[in-house]
Amino acid sequence: MLHDETLQMHELVIRGGTVVDGTGAAPRVADIAIDDGVITAIGDVADGGTTEIDASGALVTPGWVDVHTHYDGQVSWDPELAPSSHHGVTTVIMGNCGVGFAPVKPGSEGFLIELMEGVEDIPGTALHEGIDWTWETYGEYLDALEAMPRTIDVGGQLPHAAVRAYVLGDRAHEYDVTPDEIDEMAQITRDALDAGAFGFSTSRTFLHTSKHGLVPGTHSTPDEVIAIAEAVRDSGHGLFQYVSDDLGQGGDEDWLDSLKEMGCPTTYTLAQTPRMPDAFRTALTAASKTTAAKAPLIPQVAIRPTGMLFGLQSSFHPFIAHPSFREHWNDSLEEKVALLRDPVFVEKLVSEQPVTKNPFVTHMATAWHQMYRLGDPVDYEPTAESSAAGIAERNGCRPEEIVIGWLLENDGQSFMFSPLGNYHGNDHEAIREMLEHPATIPGAGDGGAHCGLICDASFPTYMLTHWTRDRTRGPKIPIERAVQLQTSATADAYGMSDRGRLEPGKVADVNIIDHEHLHLHPPHMVCDLPAGGRRLLQNVDGYLHTIKSGVVTFTDGVATGARPGKVLRSGR
């Protein structure tokens, strides 16, 4: 065969995959050529590649872009950022919910760790041992992170609690602040955005507490919030991110209308709540009107019920506040299993009630109608009849007996699922309604956080397994929409126009997936954080290759050791 000198060699060519390109277009079979970290051709690529991957029969998608994570501490010691990188995520945004580690004044590092431990359930011992604290300002924090080679790209937001601690010191929880102090907070925000922060974040929810009380900033006055939001708006990039109990409709957020009027792009967490199960629809309507008229108002939606994993290894289970069990809190897993197999101990245990001054803890420990066996394959859309209460009623026994049986499965290593939000109707229909709304993006996966109670960094995988393939209790979501939601939609929301689509000129972040055999395993507990800290991980089968900036970072779920990732700087 004669050599055609008009042909050139690409660095990498992906051949014959079913391309779902992130734009919302229908899947199609195509080749993809990659050079110098970007996509250079897509379609019928005649030229060869120095490396070629046969993707026949596999899905080829952009790398997932997860904009709601809490890797603010882990990012300083872990170049891989599991579990997100294990689930096809190639870009993360951290610094959400108002907590993080910059700016910081020397000597106040412990306070920021206490906040993160309380709000996001990340072991304080791991943070103390793992973070080296070589920064003070937010820009210096980003500079320090750039020194480590990475598997994926990382961007961050400026956290309100850290800003208040920096400016107010021991008064961080107080709300009587001076105009000069507000000006200083606004200037810190401007400086952080200039340094490359993707926005500013704050918390307005009673769920976010530490041993010091509610997170600093929870009840900040409109003057303070608006001054900071103006700094975000004036930067010309970035968003104002918050989490609240009021579903983006006002409540104590008497500053929200001002943010809308001033044109500050805003994003917040939206969920269906038991006390206001239809309020999310009003929020969606408001988001549509605001986005059409002014700057975007973007609700972030969890793609499955927001809930907790109860187990003998996790931070909570229904008997954790019972007097009999409290005596054995520090026992080994094997010893706890032996106790729950002792009929005498169990009889005493189920005769007790949780002893706590926290009504929320009491509710969680006794809401038997909200406790389900997670199982394998995992079931995050269980029926009401399969709850502990439902099974107990059918079997003529106490729900405590059902729960103890679940806790003992797999020698005490199994977990139950207790959905708190997005599950008022005992199905995923409210979630589907939110995900299909054009104003929303996926969020609230919380990668890097809630190490002992939640494992939702697997959201991107669940989007494919459940919503596009396995769902039986309602309509599915078309795969082109599912991919778009967690690629171009999330990237565009945060101004990352260079990624999220498989198009020439875009960053070559790619997943090659065996969609038919993509399988999400049950969560399991490991103790691999610094100082032996624990965290929940959730393994997955079916990611054939993950490619970051043209470099293969995972093959068949195994890390290659390549570190093509970097720290992203918004506005640059």
Side-chain angles (χ1 to χ4, degrees):
M1 177 182 292
L2 293 176
H3 175 65
D4 186 349
E5 296 189 4
T6 64
L7 299 181
Q8 59 182 344
M9 292 294 288
H10 296 285
E11 292 179 6
L12 174 63
V13 177
I14 302 167
R15 296 282 184 195
T18 300
V19 173
V20 186
D21 64 14
T23 67
R28 69 191 191 278
V29 175
D31 306 328
I32 299 174
I34 295 170
D35 298 284
D36 296 323
V38 301
I39 297 169
T40 50
I42 184 166
D44 184 6
V45 176
D47 300 331
T50 302
T51 300
E52 297 206 358
I53 296 175
D54 181 3
S56 301
L59 285 183
V60 181
T61 75
W64 312 134
V65 179
D66 187 344
V67 297
H68 195 112
T69 75
H70 293 279
Y71 289 113
D72 308 71
Q74 186 177 335
V75 73
S76 67
W77 71 76
D78 177 13
E80 196 166 292
L81 291 188
S84 288
S85 63
H86 295 177
H87 289 271
V89 174
T90 52
T91 303
V92 297
I93 299 294
M94 58 188 184
N96 288 281
C97 301
V99 289
F101 298 117
V104 58
K105 286 187 175 177
S108 64
E109 298 90 347
F111 178 69
L112 298 185
I113 286 176
E114 288 165 357
L115 292 177
M116 185 67 80
E117 183 175 29
V119 172
E120 301 298 343
D121 189 25
I122 302 172
T125 52
L127 296 171
H128 275 290
E129 182 166 313
I131 301 177
D132 57 11
W133 301 105
T134 59
W135 59 83
E136 180 172 341
T137 68
Y138 193 84
E140 290 168 351
Y141 173 61
L142 295 182
D143 292 343
L145 298 183
E146 282 186 332
M148 176 183 287
R150 305 191 173 278
T151 302
I152 64 177
D153 284 349
V154 179
Q157 298 165 106
L158 179 70
H160 197 177
V163 172
R164 290 190 119 253
Y166 191 86
V167 173
L168 303 174
D170 293 341
R171 296 172 44 240
H173 285 87
E174 298 178 12
Y175 297 104
D176 184 13
V177 296
T178 68
D180 286 346
E181 289 168 336
I182 290 175
D183 288 344
E184 186 177 356
M185 287 188 249
Q187 185 59 52
I188 289 172
T189 303
R190 282 189 286 272
D191 291 344
L193 270 291
D194 287 346
F198 277 81
F200 174 92
S201 72
T202 192
S203 172
R204 312 284 287 193
T205 173
F206 78 94
L207 295 174
H208 285 173
T209 64
S210 73
K211 67 180 186 180
H212 304 284
L214 292 170
V215 171
T218 303
H219 296 304
S220 288
T221 64
D223 286 347
E224 178 182 331
V225 175
I226 290 169
I228 290 168
E230 287 175 341
V232 174
R233 178 201 61 190
D234 293 346
S235 74
H237 63 93
L239 292 92
F240 187 103
Q241 184 272 335
Y242 72 97
V243 59
S244 167
D245 300 319
D246 293 298
L247 301 176
Q249 297 181 70
D252 70 334
E253 300 152 288
D254 42 7
W255 40 263
L256 185 56
D257 285 342
S258 296
L259 265 65
K260 295 175 183 176
E261 291 299 321
M262 75 169 66
C264 178
T266 305
T267 184
Y268 69 95
T269 301
L270 177 64
Q272 182 195 45
T273 65
R275 64 188 177 94
M276 296 187 294
D278 297 319
F280 73 90
R281 296 189 177 97
T282 304
L284 291 175
T285 299
S288 294
K289 291 179 179 178
T290 302
T291 299
K294 299 179 179 66
L297 177 63
I298 305 169
Q300 294 188 26
V301 178
I303 70 167
R304 64 186 182 220
T306 52
M308 300 182 180
L309 299 173
F310 296 166
L312 295 179
Q313 296 177 290
S314 59
S315 300
F316 188 88
H317 60 73
F319 307 109
I320 208 163
H322 285 47
S324 294
F325 198 91
R326 276 185 171 176
E327 298 176 12
H328 300 278
W329 172 245
N330 291 319
D331 286 4
S332 67
L333 176 62
E334 293 76 14
E335 290 169 329
K336 292 175 183 177
V337 168
L339 281 173
L340 292 183
R341 287 175 175 161
D342 179 353
V344 176
F345 178 82
V346 169
E347 183 177 0
K348 181 181 180 182
L349 185 69
V350 300
S351 71
E352 300 171 346
Q353 292 296 314
V355 178
T356 175
K357 295 180 181 180
N358 188 330
F360 184 61
V361 170
T362 301
H363 168 74
M364 288 196 302
T366 57
W368 310 110
H369 65 290
Q370 290 180 201
M371 298 182 200
Y372 304 88
R373 179 179 181 270
L374 187 58
D376 185 9
V378 290
D379 184 5
Y380 293 99
E381 194 177 12
T383 64
E385 293 77 17
S386 66
S387 70
I391 294 173
E393 183 178 356
R394 289 198 307 277
N395 293 355
C397 63
R398 300 182 60 161
E400 291 94 330
E401 298 175 45
I402 302 300
V403 166
I404 288 172
W406 290 342
L407 290 174
L408 288 172
E409 288 182 2
N410 193 25
D411 293 325
Q413 298 179 71
S414 63
F415 294 94
M416 301 184 303
F417 179 53
S418 181
L420 302 179
N422 287 344
Y423 214 60
H424 179 73
N426 292 104
D427 60 30
H428 286 183
E429 280 306 286
I431 300 172
R432 183 176 65 85
E433 188 173 340
M434 287 184 276
L435 286 174
E436 291 188 336
H437 192 278
T440 67
I441 60 173
D446 283 343
H450 305 294
C451 299
L453 204 55
I454 298 172
C455 190
D456 286 343
S458 60
F459 273 6
T461 299
Y462 189 74
M463 180 74 90
L464 292 192
T465 57
H466 180 76
W467 282 109
T468 73
R469 191 191 67 193
D470 295 340
R471 190 175 189 226
T472 60
R473 298 190 58 216
K476 298 180 177 69
I477 293 176
I479 194 163
E480 55 266 31
R481 173 60 176 164
V483 169
Q484 180 187 31
L485 277 168
Q486 51 195 17
T487 55
S488 64
T490 44
D492 290 353
Y494 273 79
M496 295 180 283
S497 58
D498 63 340
R499 65 197 61 212
R501 296 172 176 83
L502 298 181
E503 296 176 342
K506 302 297 185 184
V507 174
D509 294 349
V510 184
N511 282 316
I512 303 174
I513 303 167
D514 182 350
H515 187 229
E516 180 182 356
H517 298 106
L518 190 65
H519 177 66
L520 196 58
H521 291 269
H524 64 283
M525 189 70 75
V526 299
C527 297
D528 64 351
L529 293 177
R534 64 178 180 167
R535 61 173 173 160
L536 285 161
L537 297 179
Q538 192 164 18
N539 293 344
V540 59
D541 300 327
Y543 284 94
L544 305 178
H545 301 279
T546 296
I547 298 164
K548 171 77 203 91
S549 296
V551 178
V552 178
T553 52
F554 289 88
T555 295
D556 292 328
V558 178
T560 64
R563 302 281 188 251
K566 62 182 180 181
V567 173
L568 300 177
R569 307 246 186 177
S570 182
R572 297 189 178 182

